[in-house]
Amino acid sequence: MAPFSITLPTRSGGSSNGDLLLTTSLSTLTLLSFVQLCTPADPLGKSLRFLKQLKRQEKGNLTSASNVQSSVSEYERLHLTSTSTTERNSNYATLVNSYYDLATLFYEWGWGASFHFSNRHPHESFDEATRRHEFYLASKLNLSGSLMNGKDLVHDSNEEEVKEGSTPSMASVKVLDVGCGIGGPMRNICKFTGADITGLTLNQYQVDRGNELCRADAHFHNHSSETNGLPPIRCRSTQGDFMKQPFEASTFDAAYAIEATCHAPDRVGCYSEIYRVLKPGSIFACYEWCLTDKYDPNNEEHVLIKKQIEEGDGLPDIATTHYCLTALKKAGFEILEERDCVNDEYGGWQDPVTGAYSVGKEGRKHYRGGKPWMLPLMSSWNPFTQRFQFNWFGLRLTKYSLKIMEFLRLAPVGTSRTQILLQSGGMGLARGGELGIFTPMYLMVGRVPLDKK
C-alpha cells in the first residue's frame, strides 16, 4: 500500500489543495454546529466526555502501564517485525491489556458501546444493524430450553390447568459473555432475552466502565432482589482471563462471544474453558475473526493486510475458519451450525472481481440499499461519519489535532500514536473485507454433550 502524501500549494497555480483544506474546514465547522444545535447527536458533549475519560485514564486507571505513552510503547514493541508470533502469544495478556487500555475510549467515542461489525440491511440504521446482529446470535442459544432444562412446570397440584406464570423466570437463566468489552452487547441481549448475563473481560478499565453503565440504567436493576433471591443487577462485568476463567465448572446455561476470542493465543484452550463452565446440553455461539480461503500467504498485499489488522486490533495472530472450527470440535463441542455471515444476502453490491462496494451504474442493477460491514472504515469526505478520518485530510487532521491536544495537556502523551495504530488497523480491515480474505463474523454454534463428565 503506497504511503499517503500531501502536495503543498505553489504560487504557480497549485492552490487547489489549500482551497480544499479551507473549504473542507469551514464546511466541517458549519455542519458540526448544525448537528450540535439541531439534532440529538451531541458531538461536542461526546468529545468532552472523551477528554474527561482520557484524563481519568492517565491518572492510574491503566491496566498495562503507568501512563498512555508507556502502554503504547510496550504495545508497539510486541508488534515489531522482530517480535515473533510465539512471543506475542506467550505475552497475550500484556498485548490485549495494552491494546484495550489504548483503544477502548476511542471505540466508545467513535463507534459506541458494542465493539463489533455487522452488515446493514436496507433501511437499517447503524445501531439497528448492531442490535440485530447481537440478537441473531442470542437466538442460537436456546435459552427457553435452558429455562426448562430439568424443571417441571410450576402449578397447583389440585389444578389440572397450567396457569400463567407457571414457568420459571428467564432471570434464572445464567449466560456468559466471553470477552464482553464495556458490555454493549451484554446489555442489549439482557434486555432482549431477560436472562441474567455475566460478562468476562481481561481489562480492568473495561470492567469498571461496563459496570458503571450497567448501574446507570434502571432497566437492569432487580428491584425485588431481596425477596426473589436474584442479584441486584441483572448483568455485570467481571475481570478475568478467558483462558483461565474464574468460575466453577458447569456454572452457565449458555455462552456467546462476539469478535473476542480472536485475542486467544490458543483456540482449543479458550474453547475448552468455555466448555468447562457450561452445563451439559448448553450452547455456545460465537462470531470469530478469521482468514478465509481466499487468503494467500504468498501474496504481499494479503500479508500486509493481515499485519495491519494484527497491529491495529491487538491480535497475536489471525486464525483460519478451518482452524477455529477444528478447535471447537477438539474442545468437545458438537457442531450445530457454521458459516461465514459475511456471505449472507444484505441488499448491497460488491464488484465480484475487486470486491469494491459500489452504488455506481453496475452496482445499481443489484443494489437495494444494504451496506457491507466494512463501509464505516472506508474513506469518505462526509464529515458526519467516522469515515472522514480515513481520507488523506482526515488522517492528518486527526493526527495533528491530537498532537496539539497533547501539547496543551488536554490529552495524555501517546494519544496520537494510539489513533494512528487504530486507523492503520481500520484500513487493513476495510481492504481485507473488499478482497474477501478476512471475515469478522464467522458463525460457529456448538453444544455441550448431555453426557458431559
Side-chain angles (χ1 to χ4, degrees):
M1 183 177 294
F4 292 93
S5 63
I6 297 178
T7 303
L8 296 176
T10 63
R11 291 184 181 181
S12 59
S15 62
S16 59
N17 279 352
D19 292 341
L20 178 60
L21 283 171
L22 180 60
T23 302
T24 303
S25 299
L26 291 174
S27 299
T28 301
L29 289 173
T30 301
L31 290 171
L32 178 62
S33 300
F34 174 80
V35 172
Q36 180 66 35
L37 296 173
C38 303
T39 77
D42 190 25
L44 293 179
K46 287 183 178 179
S47 297
L48 289 173
R49 286 193 296 275
F50 172 70
L51 292 175
K52 182 179 179 181
Q53 288 174 307
L54 272 177
K55 299 297 286 186
R56 282 173 51 194
Q57 191 184 48
E58 184 74 348
K59 295 178 180 178
N61 286 291
L62 293 172
T63 307
S64 60
S66 59
N67 55 58
V68 172
Q69 188 173 18
S70 298
S71 187
V72 72
S73 295
E74 174 61 12
Y75 181 81
E76 289 174 334
R77 184 194 71 79
L78 287 171
H79 269 296
L80 290 172
T81 305
S82 57
T83 304
S84 66
T85 301
T86 301
E87 183 177 351
R88 284 198 294 274
N89 278 325
S90 64
N91 289 286
Y92 77 94
T94 300
L95 178 68
V96 172
N97 264 323
S98 297
Y99 176 74
Y100 281 111
D101 275 346
L102 301 167
T104 298
L105 292 181
F106 287 93
Y107 278 0
E108 186 179 0
W109 175 54
W111 200 265
S114 294
F115 302 167
H116 65 78
F117 296 103
S118 57
N119 287 330
R120 287 172 59 182
H121 292 182
H123 313 298
E124 270 188 333
S125 69
F126 179 86
D127 289 338
E128 288 169 342
T130 296
R131 289 191 293 270
R132 172 187 49 75
H133 196 61
E134 295 164 358
F135 296 163
Y136 180 75
L137 192 68
S139 74
K140 301 293 182 181
L141 299 178
N142 188 30
L143 297 185
S144 294
S146 299
L147 181 67
M148 296 306 299
N149 188 21
K151 302 182 180 72
D152 294 323
L153 289 177
V154 180
H155 64 277
D156 191 323
S157 59
N158 297 321
E159 297 283 348
E160 293 184 3
E161 181 181 0
V162 177
K163 297 181 178 179
E164 179 184 354
S166 59
T167 62
S169 167
M170 185 60 77
S172 64
V173 175
K174 307 296 183 185
V175 180
L176 176 65
D177 182 331
V178 183
C180 64
I182 61 170
M186 174 178 71
R187 288 185 291 277
N188 288 336
I189 292 174
C190 181
K191 288 179 180 178
F192 178 61
T193 64
D196 180 278
I197 304 183
T198 298
L200 180 68
T201 178
L202 185 66
N203 187 266
Q204 186 62 48
Y205 173 78
Q206 291 189 335
V207 172
D208 297 339
R209 180 60 178 154
N211 285 330
E212 179 184 4
L213 293 171
C214 289
R215 290 191 298 268
D217 191 336
H219 181 89
F220 301 113
H221 292 209
N222 285 318
H223 297 290
S224 57
S225 59
E226 295 181 2
T227 58
N228 60 21
L230 297 173
I233 303 291
R234 288 195 293 141
C235 58
R236 82 287 305 161
S237 296
T238 301
Q239 195 280 329
D241 186 345
F242 53 41
M243 300 297 295
K244 296 172 287 188
Q245 295 186 23
F247 308 116
E248 297 294 329
S250 301
T251 295
F252 296 97
D253 299 295
Y256 65 88
I258 301 180
E259 303 181 24
T261 49
C262 52
H263 294 289
D266 171 20
R267 290 299 204 289
V268 176
C270 177
Y271 299 150
S272 295
E273 269 295 275
I274 296 169
Y275 181 93
R276 181 184 68 81
V277 301
L278 286 175
K279 298 175 183 177
S282 297
I283 289 178
F284 168 60
C286 69
Y287 294 127
E288 271 285 9
W289 278 29
C290 294
L291 296 173
T292 72
D293 290 340
K294 293 182 179 180
Y295 176 78
D296 180 2
N298 297 314
N299 184 304
E300 290 186 4
E301 184 183 15
H302 290 192
V303 172
L304 173 61
I305 290 168
K306 178 177 181 285
K307 185 62 176 175
Q308 283 181 314
I309 296 173
E310 290 168 352
E311 288 183 350
D313 295 280
L315 306 182
D317 197 7
I318 307 178
T320 65
T321 54
H322 303 290
Y323 179 88
C324 289
L325 186 62
T326 301
L328 194 65
K329 290 179 181 177
K330 287 182 177 179
F333 285 96
E334 300 169 346
I335 306 301
L336 301 181
E337 184 179 0
E338 62 82 25
R339 77 173 191 279
D340 186 357
C341 292
V342 162
N343 298 324
D344 291 357
E345 170 60 38
Y346 65 91
W349 186 82
Q350 291 170 242
D351 186 286
V353 177
T354 65
Y357 168 74
S358 173
V359 291
K361 182 178 179 180
E362 179 63 26
R364 284 197 297 271
K365 295 179 182 178
H366 316 278
Y367 179 72
R368 295 187 290 106
K371 298 175 175 63
W373 65 268
M374 67 281 187
L375 184 63
L377 304 175
M378 299 168 70
S379 66
S380 168
W381 287 95
N382 181 358
F384 279 118
T385 71
Q386 75 272 19
R387 295 175 59 195
F388 183 79
Q389 68 177 295
F390 293 107
N391 65 57
W392 66 265
F393 174 65
L395 285 166
R396 276 146 181 84
L397 178 65
T398 304
K399 174 182 176 180
Y400 291 111
S401 295
L402 290 172
K403 283 187 173 294
I404 291 171
M405 290 168 61
E406 291 175 2
F407 178 76
L408 297 175
R409 298 189 178 182
L410 294 174
V413 175
T415 302
S416 60
R417 289 161 64 192
T418 301
Q419 182 64 1
I420 290 169
L421 283 170
L422 296 178
Q423 287 175 327
S424 176
M427 290 185 287
L429 287 165
R431 186 59 180 150
E434 283 188 323
L435 295 176
I437 65 172
F438 170 83
T439 175
M441 54 186 82
Y442 179 58
L443 172 69
M444 299 192 298
V445 183
R447 180 174 56 201
V448 178
L450 289 172
D451 60 355
K452 170 191 175 185
K453 297 179 181 180

